[in-house]
Amino acid sequence: MSNALKVQPDLQFVKDLQDVGGEDVKKCYQCATCSVVCPLSPADNPYPRKEMIWAQWGMKDLLVNDIDIWLCHQCGTCSTQCPRGAKPGDILAALRNMTYRNLVKPAAIGRWMSKGMYLPLLIAFPALIFGIIWLIRAAQLGTFFPLVDGEVIYGALFPGDFTIDPLFGLTALFVIITFAVGINTLIKGWNKTVKKTFVLGYKKPTLTQAIIDVVKNEIINHAKFRKCGDEPEDDDKFKGHLTLFYGFVCCFIVTSIVAGAHWGGKLIPFLAPIGHTPMALWNPVKLLANVGAILLLIGLTLLTRRRMNLDPKTSNSSFYDWYLLGVIWVIALTGIGAEVLRLAGAPAFLCYFTYYIHLVSVFMMIAYLPWSKLGHLVYRTTALIYARYVGRLPIDEELVKQDNIYIV
């Protein structure tokens, strides 16, 4: 006689899941339609059916170590086809939201990121930091709105050497360390739970090759986003994510060039002019920055339109979704606004206030990154690399027919 399985449900976990976008989890009656229609789910041990039953039962320990919640790209096909309206795609998104919230310390930030009522706190911290910098500089300069030769120069009020660069540098270091802790926690859990699938003729890649494959196929080309879904809004999701991604790439390159040339110029003088700001509009670095800003606006427009047009019967939008879109919108609009206002000769107070809001929003995106939905850039990429490395991949149908699959 087989041993009975003792299940100890975590009822608070179920309630928390419902609070962050998984309110329809109890509608599932395990028909497995979601796993059948998913274009990405592996033939062996597919998702999201098992995640649905685990979520209903409050089996937190299984879900927190489940790699498949990260391999899902939330195309919505499973939710559209679900006969009960249980919205499996939203459940997996909610599970990711809960993971963001609890994966790393300090846990308070994770709690604040989960509900709109805490948004004022998330804004207040960077607003206070940059407000203090503004007050100190104003006291030093004798004015709140300094002009250099009659021109607004943002570096005069928020100088890079002893305010912006050290502050964002330390913040970035904190985020990197936090992500490293989170990745280590995830991998330890996956090592215990992920089944390794091997196919005859399948050559297990090295870790380096797995990284290269994921970067080339999943990040640069967004192959899985392209494969997901066949509705018009799915096309908006693919194009929106891809455009937004390359907009951020452009902005990252520009920031790296400016900061690298500025600090490198202290050792190698001829580099200093490269990072000098403000730059002329025809400067290649400035042109790249403006291209990045335009790409951000296009991507944001596509993703916002998609989310606004989602059928509430098949998909919900959580605070995590709108928080991320909102912050990036503010970053893009205030970044462009600060440039346009300065070039147009707008009043100094309007220019500086716009730039202040821009700094606050950029800090919010970077400092809270490990707890926000944008954290999937790191966690999902890690999951994709791990899955490819161990063979946790969708299996070709012909190989399935030939029974050339071994699971360990």
Side-chain angles (χ1 to χ4, degrees):
M1 182 176 179
S2 61
N3 294 327
L5 174 64
K6 185 178 181 180
V7 177
Q8 294 181 319
D10 186 331
L11 298 181
Q12 186 58 48
F13 178 81
V14 178
K15 292 179 181 178
D16 291 343
L17 177 66
Q18 291 174 313
D19 286 342
V20 294
E23 56 265 30
D24 296 303
V25 63
K26 293 187 177 181
K27 293 181 180 179
C28 172
Y29 61 3
Q30 285 293 300
C31 67
T33 298
C34 54
S35 292
V36 172
V37 300
C38 177
L40 301 179
S41 180
D44 64 291
N45 198 26
Y47 57 84
R49 181 189 182 186
K50 63 182 186 301
E51 285 74 21
M52 295 299 289
I53 191 68
W54 292 347
Q56 286 181 322
W57 288 358
M59 301 179 74
K60 177 180 177 181
D61 291 341
L62 287 174
L63 289 166
V64 297
N65 294 321
D66 181 26
I67 194 174
D68 291 341
I69 67 174
W70 300 104
L71 301 183
C72 164
H73 281 57
Q74 204 181 356
C75 65
T77 301
C78 58
S79 297
T80 301
Q81 299 298 325
C82 178
R84 289 279 292 168
K87 305 173 185 173
D90 284 359
I91 302 304
L92 294 194
L95 289 169
R96 290 192 294 272
N97 292 342
M98 291 189 70
T99 305
Y100 299 138
R101 186 171 72 176
N102 299 309
L103 188 60
V104 290
K105 306 294 183 183
I109 298 179
R111 291 195 300 272
W112 297 347
M113 290 293 297
S114 64
K115 293 184 179 181
M117 62 183 291
Y118 295 111
L119 182 59
L121 282 176
L122 297 173
I123 297 173
F125 181 59
L128 181 61
I129 291 175
F130 290 105
I132 291 173
I133 292 174
W134 194 339
L135 288 173
I136 293 174
R137 286 295 293 165
Q140 293 174 338
L141 299 171
T143 175
F144 279 93
F145 313 110
L147 297 176
V148 180
D149 297 328
E151 184 181 2
V152 168
I153 302 295
Y154 296 121
L157 189 59
F158 298 99
D161 280 2
F162 52 90
T163 58
I164 303 302
D165 289 355
L167 177 59
F168 278 105
L170 290 173
T171 302
L173 180 61
F174 164 74
V175 169
I176 291 171
I177 294 173
T178 303
F179 269 130
V181 173
I183 289 171
N184 183 59
T185 301
L186 287 174
I187 291 177
K188 283 183 178 179
W190 298 338
N191 284 338
K192 298 175 183 178
T193 61
V194 176
K195 293 182 178 180
K196 282 72 174 178
T197 303
F198 298 98
V199 182
L200 289 182
Y202 173 75
K203 183 180 180 181
K204 183 176 180 291
T206 64
L207 180 59
T208 300
Q209 187 59 51
I211 294 172
I212 293 173
D213 289 345
V214 168
V215 170
K216 181 175 67 174
N217 297 318
E218 313 301 347
I219 297 179
I220 295 178
N221 295 327
H222 274 44
K224 281 190 169 60
F225 276 114
R226 189 191 300 270
K227 186 177 180 179
C228 272
D230 54 9
E231 300 296 329
E233 58 266 25
D234 297 320
D235 191 49
D236 277 354
K237 182 176 183 178
F238 164 67
K239 292 179 179 178
H241 273 90
L242 192 63
T243 307
L244 197 65
F245 169 72
Y246 280 107
F248 275 121
V249 168
C250 291
C251 294
F252 177 77
I253 292 173
V254 169
T255 302
S256 299
I257 290 174
V258 172
H262 173 75
W263 290 99
K266 297 182 182 299
L267 297 176
I268 307 174
F270 75 84
L271 291 177
I274 298 175
H276 182 71
T277 58
M279 297 177 176
L281 285 176
W282 56 86
N283 185 298
V285 178
K286 188 69 170 182
L287 290 173
L288 183 61
N290 288 328
V291 168
I294 293 171
L295 290 176
L296 288 181
L297 290 179
I298 294 173
L300 284 166
T301 300
L302 291 173
L303 293 176
T304 302
R305 181 177 70 180
R306 172 187 177 273
R307 189 149 296 282
M308 292 180 69
N309 291 335
L310 286 176
D311 185 348
K313 294 181 180 179
T314 59
S315 185
N316 298 318
S317 292
S318 68
F319 173 69
Y320 275 97
D321 300 317
W322 289 116
Y323 170 84
L324 180 59
L325 280 173
V327 168
I328 301 176
W329 267 116
V330 174
I331 290 172
L333 293 176
T334 55
I336 294 171
E339 177 184 358
V340 171
L341 290 171
R342 182 180 63 82
L343 293 175
F349 78 89
L350 184 58
C351 295
Y352 282 116
F353 183 74
T354 302
Y355 187 65
Y356 167 77
I357 298 299
H358 180 69
L359 291 176
V360 170
S361 58
V362 170
F363 185 92
M364 289 176 65
M365 184 187 71
I366 295 175
Y368 307 145
L369 195 60
W371 298 271
S372 77
K373 187 177 178 181
L374 199 58
H376 75 267
L377 285 173
V378 174
Y379 297 135
R380 177 178 281 155
T381 300
T382 301
L384 289 169
I385 293 170
Y386 185 97
R388 183 171 291 273
Y389 180 62
V390 303
R392 176 69 174 140
L393 301 166
I395 304 301
D396 186 271
E397 291 182 4
E398 291 302 315
L399 293 170
V400 172
K401 293 176 183 178
Q402 297 169 21
D403 293 327
N404 290 336
I405 301 175
Y406 298 85
I407 303 175
V408 297

